[in-house]
Amino acid sequence: MVKMRAAEFGCAVAVLFALLIVGRADVYIVTIEGEPIISYKGDVDGFEATAVESDEKIDPTSESVTSYARHLESKHDMLLGMLFEQGTYQKLYSYQHLINGFAVHISHEQAEKLMRAPGVKSVERDWKVRRLTTHTPQFLGLPTGVWPTGGGFDRAGENIVIGFVDSGIYPQHPSFASYNSDPYGPVPKYRGKCEVDPDTKRSFCNGKIIGAHHFAKAAIAAGVFNPSIDFASPMDGDGHGSHTAAIAAGNNGIPVKMHGHEFGKASGMAPRARIAVYKALYRLFGGFVADVVAAIDQAVYDGVDILSLSVGPNSPPATTRTTYLNPFDATLLSAVKAGVFVAQAAGNGGPFPKTLVSYSPWIASVAAAIDDRRYKNHLMLGNGKILAGIGLSPSTHPNRTYTLVAANDALLDSSVVKYSPSDCQKPEVLNKNLVQGNILLCGYSFNFVVGTASIKKVSETAKSLGAIGFVLAVENVSPGTKFDPVPVGVPGILITDVSKSLDLIDYYNISTSRDWTGRVKSFKGIGSIGDGLMPILHKSAPLVALFSARGPNIKDFSFQDADLLKPDILAPGSLIWAAWSPNGTDEPDYVGEGFAMISGTSMAAPHIAGIAALIKQKHPHWSPAAIKSALMTTSTTLDRAGRPLQAQQYSETQAMKLVSATPFDYGSGHVDPRAALDPGLIFDVGYQDYLGFLCTTPGIDAREIRNYTNCACNYTIGHPSNFNSPSITVSHLVRSQTVTRTVTNVAEQETYVITTRMAPAIAIEANPPAMTLKPGASRRFSVTLTVRSVTGAYSFGEVLMKGNRGHKVRIPVVAMGYQR
């Protein structure tokens, strides 16, 4: 069956109300002078250096790290103690590892006083974040093409730790069990701890789950945390966190069973990878940046290899003009410096331009694709018409038809209309004698959109009244309504096409005779429901999903275009089967279930996190940038049928149509895990290069960069387009511009021929036209873009490097010409 995803931030009103009750105090994130552990070079008497080189992990056990951490925390406490009376403030977190600062619950007046205090660099009011919400291992070619190279599925991702900053985990789920596999040994590099369930007193860890923490101090301070449903532990009270963890690292071959039907076997991308849980998201209010930053800080300190973030800010921060330097992205820059690969959901604001919530070059920003499964069904009427719809359900008895009875004609008492009886949510208002043995007709109202009605409840109503099945008819549809199949245990179908729904209603009205009061005398309409349990596999996959956030990327919150392509890559994110928490209420159609099939860039990011774990397993010393480069340069811009990728988009009438996709929809293309394990060449960068990109971006205040990175701008790359990313973007091309790139050979000696292509408005040329690289060698090449005609729109193209040993390295090129 089917459901539509309402906006994920509909809880803002409740949160505002809660904040009003708390009073005028707010949570503020404060950064102060002095280096955090990751970049401290030993210039304070009595404390040894703790700084790490680019892509190097922090050693949390060393005496120098622990003593400097204590020093920073005491400085935070001293500053607050000097400024404010005890009891007038509450420090929530000290941040020492990636940024030097703290989160504190204080009044607006206290925040202003703190802003003026010596040694304070920034004071930023906390803001909210939200969740950005199987068959895909086969679709991606993992079992045959990738897992055998790492020793098969039972070794895929071995000893790689993926950290999930999400809504927690349901540890009893078979996707996270450790009893059916080889024993998991210790992972010395990971030093995270495990919280104990306050009710059962059992650890959340089992070898597969290797770390489990929860972070809720900002949520508690804001007055929105409810321990009875949010759980003061890593327990998933939402479903989202269990789902994302299972996509990346769930066990292989777990049967997905619902309503007595097996929909297939679920597996994570890296089924042997370890899971480290950092819960900072909650079911009703999302989360707060102060909690999320604390979770990221802890995850990096603990030693995770990969971070999966299916979370993004609700709105731009108030004090930072630059997108790359909000506390969220600045913390992630330090995470990448410590060698952690970060995959983040690009956002669900599509298909409109500039809707991304993931901006920075050090993050892999993941867009969502629809893969090759479609669940279709049909309703056959007594007049011979066959109406198409969607319904993940069994069929009615073959070779039989059943009487159609509308809910509005089966009311026990016509005075109960306040319940919107056509929704079929309350069996007690309907006459069982009229419905039993028949097909119940219901109406798909706005209640389904906002989540107060669910398809699961319709199926329960039909079942309790003894109906053979049900039909939900959509009579009017708001622009952008997205219907997802929902599994149900009785025959059921949703007719999403309004014209088909009207055909059904016309047939029902003609076939149903009534007396002068409108009461039904006899139900003569008949029909039968087809089998919707088997997916239809389409060659037009993958497609860019309608909801997936689109570029161009922005460099500031005035929405000025950036010289950096986003999103980076496309991965499956629509109708993804994975583990669910029985406590989860995030999706009304899956309450109490062990699995759910949901959509979002939330589902796409953990696909990339899991595939990154497979690359990290094969190439343990690669930097996060090298892993990201391998994923991007080997991706594909063609669908299964060999045609250019298409994207879902709105037509003028707000109906959905398919258009040719561009790099603003898919970044470099759709992920190809097999090719990513052996990319041939990589575009590598380190921490200094990220600083060079920031320092060269026009309009960024150098003091802002120093505030967040503790580094002066003494390094430039000439133009942000020269940043060594596996893509080229020039947002404001005047006449001609040459950009440079450096590639490193990670395979045997190979000769590459470089070819280019670009839309006619801009000429493109690469130099040299060919180059030979020995193993481990690096070579520079340049790409010159020249305006031929000013069109007022972006032009798209690519640079393709073909090696004589079979490697293909492709990078997208995006430019807008302003002057010839």
Side-chain angles (χ1 to χ4, degrees), residues 186-308:
V187 181
K189 68 184 174 189
Y190 181 77
R191 298 180 185 85
K193 293 183 174 61
C194 279
E195 289 184 27
V196 171
D197 189 312
D199 298 326
T200 65
K201 304 294 182 267
R202 285 170 60 184
S203 169
F204 272 84
C205 294
N206 61 4
K208 170 73 174 171
I209 302 170
I210 197 173
H213 303 253
H214 84 288
F215 300 82
K217 288 177 179 173
I220 292 165
V224 296
F225 183 84
N226 177 352
S228 66
I229 59 167
D230 292 319
F231 302 110
S233 77
M235 177 61 78
D236 187 0
D238 178 276
H240 191 272
S242 301
H243 201 269
T244 54
I247 289 169
N251 290 328
N252 181 56
I254 304 301
V256 179
K257 283 185 178 157
M258 279 182 79
H259 311 299
H261 180 77
E262 187 178 306
F263 288 94
K265 302 274 198 289
S267 170
M269 299 292 102
R272 188 71 181 171
R274 310 298 182 97
I275 293 167
V277 177
Y278 299 86
K279 175 178 165 182
L281 299 182
Y282 297 87
R283 62 165 83 172
L284 291 178
F285 54 85
F288 292 86
V289 170
D291 288 332
V292 172
V293 167
I296 294 167
D297 193 63
Q298 187 67 50
V300 175
Y301 182 72
D302 288 347
V304 302
D305 297 298
I306 315 277
L307 258 181
S308 180

Side-chain angles (χ1 to χ4, degrees), residues 490-625:
V490 298
I493 185 168
L494 186 133
I495 311 292
T496 55
D497 185 325
V498 174
S499 66
K500 301 268 193 307
S501 292
L502 295 176
D503 286 347
L504 167 62
I505 293 161
D506 287 347
Y507 168 70
Y508 179 79
N509 286 337
I510 290 164
S511 312
T512 306
S513 57
R514 302 172 185 273
D515 63 19
W516 64 274
T517 66
R519 194 181 293 270
V520 174
K521 288 200 291 189
S522 63
F523 296 98
K524 292 281 176 62
I526 56 170
S528 61
I529 297 168
D531 184 343
L533 290 172
M534 290 304 293
I536 300 158
L537 299 180
H538 278 245
K539 277 203 165 174
S540 61
L543 298 167
V544 180
L546 187 72
F547 58 80
S548 187
R550 310 295 209 261
N553 192 15
I554 55 168
K555 65 181 181 183
D556 59 34
F557 292 110
S558 309
F559 288 83
Q560 289 193 69
D561 292 18
D563 291 303
L564 179 76
L565 181 64
K566 290 283 174 176
D568 290 305
I569 197 156
L570 185 67
S574 179
L575 308 184
I576 303 299
W577 275 115
W580 198 246
S581 170
N583 310 313
T585 56
D586 188 33
E587 301 277 342
D589 287 310
Y590 294 99
V591 172
E593 302 292 353
F595 292 90
M597 181 174 64
I598 55 175
S599 303
T601 51
S602 274
M603 282 66 250
H607 278 93
I608 293 300
I611 296 163
L614 300 176
I615 298 172
K616 181 84 175 170
Q617 180 188 12
K618 187 175 179 189
H619 306 283
H621 302 297
W622 279 14
S623 68

